[in-house]
Amino acid sequence: MEAFLFSTGVVALAEMGDKTQLLALVLAARFRRPAPIALGILAATLANHALAAWAGAWVTGVLGPQTMRWILGASFLGMALWSLRPDRLEEGKAHDARFGVLATTLVSFFLVEMGDKTQVATVALAARYATIAPVVAGTTLGMLVANVPVVYLGERILRRVPAKAVQRVAAASFAVLGVLALLAQDR
């Protein structure tokens, strides 16, 4: 349960102001069909994060817990710095609606999530907990918690939540997690 809850919180926090959240806003504004967009986010995240979690669990088995503790700590500190840099969605992404709203969302989210900080967090969390299912369920829920309200409420939310404040809270949280991971004793 700890892996699920922690994964949910970390990814929901990391997703604030992220390019996939911007993508959710762009898709919502363009298509104005929130249900297929939310389903596309769910499917893309499950697929992407399942692959990332599998990689994280595999790496743990290969490198061992001591090495992974240092990698995990450094990863979280890196994500803290990365969180301070605002994401921008490149022009032209996710605007091809030939395949319908659901397929456009699924493909766009899957591709934009590649190498994203939430995908990196999923790898690190799977390595930390050495378990896939609760991490994928948690990271997927975190993505939905952060993105589905944007799909349904869009700009009304963005006008009231200062992006800089969210970025700073996310960065501080990742920094704390990184330090805690570096200071942790082997289990």
Side-chain angles (χ1 to χ4, degrees):
M1 189 63 143
E2 177 188 347
F4 171 76
L5 294 174
F6 192 70
S7 296
T8 301
V10 164
V11 168
L13 190 61
E15 187 62 11
M16 295 300 164
D18 193 66
K19 66 184 170 218
T20 46
Q21 195 174 49
L22 297 174
L23 176 59
L25 181 61
V26 167
L27 291 166
R30 177 173 170 96
F31 296 118
R32 300 194 189 283
R33 298 201 34 225
I37 294 170
L39 287 172
I41 292 170
L42 171 64
T45 302
L46 279 171
N48 192 293
H49 288 199
L51 292 170
W54 176 81
W58 176 78
V59 166
T60 300
V62 171
L63 297 179
Q66 184 69 1
T67 303
M68 280 311 300
R69 180 171 63 90
W70 286 99
I71 292 172
L72 180 64
S75 295
F76 278 128
L77 291 173
M79 284 187 289
L81 294 173
W82 196 355
S83 294
L84 292 173
R85 193 182 126 255
D87 280 335
R88 298 214 186 336
L89 191 62
E90 290 95 35
E91 284 298 315
K93 290 228 180 182
H95 290 290
D96 187 0
R98 284 182 289 190
F99 304 109
V101 177
L102 177 66
T104 298
T105 302
L106 192 149
V107 171
S108 297
F109 254 79
F110 186 85
L111 294 175
V112 169
E113 185 66 9
M114 298 300 286
D116 195 56
K117 64 185 160 230
T118 50
Q119 187 188 44
V120 173
T122 302
V123 171
L125 289 163
R128 162 73 172 88
Y129 289 106
T131 182
I132 294 174
V135 168
V136 171
T139 59
T140 300
L141 179 60
M143 287 288 284
L144 294 174
V145 164
N147 288 306
V148 170
V150 170
V151 170
Y152 281 93
L153 302 173
E155 288 187 42
R156 283 182 268 166
I157 292 173
L158 297 177
R159 277 187 257 140
R160 296 176 188 223
V161 179
K164 284 278 190 213
V166 172
Q167 288 173 335
R168 289 180 181 140
V169 168
S173 299
F174 282 126
V176 167
L177 293 172
V179 169
L180 289 174
L182 291 173
L183 297 175
Q185 299 296 317
D186 288 331
R187 292 181 184 195

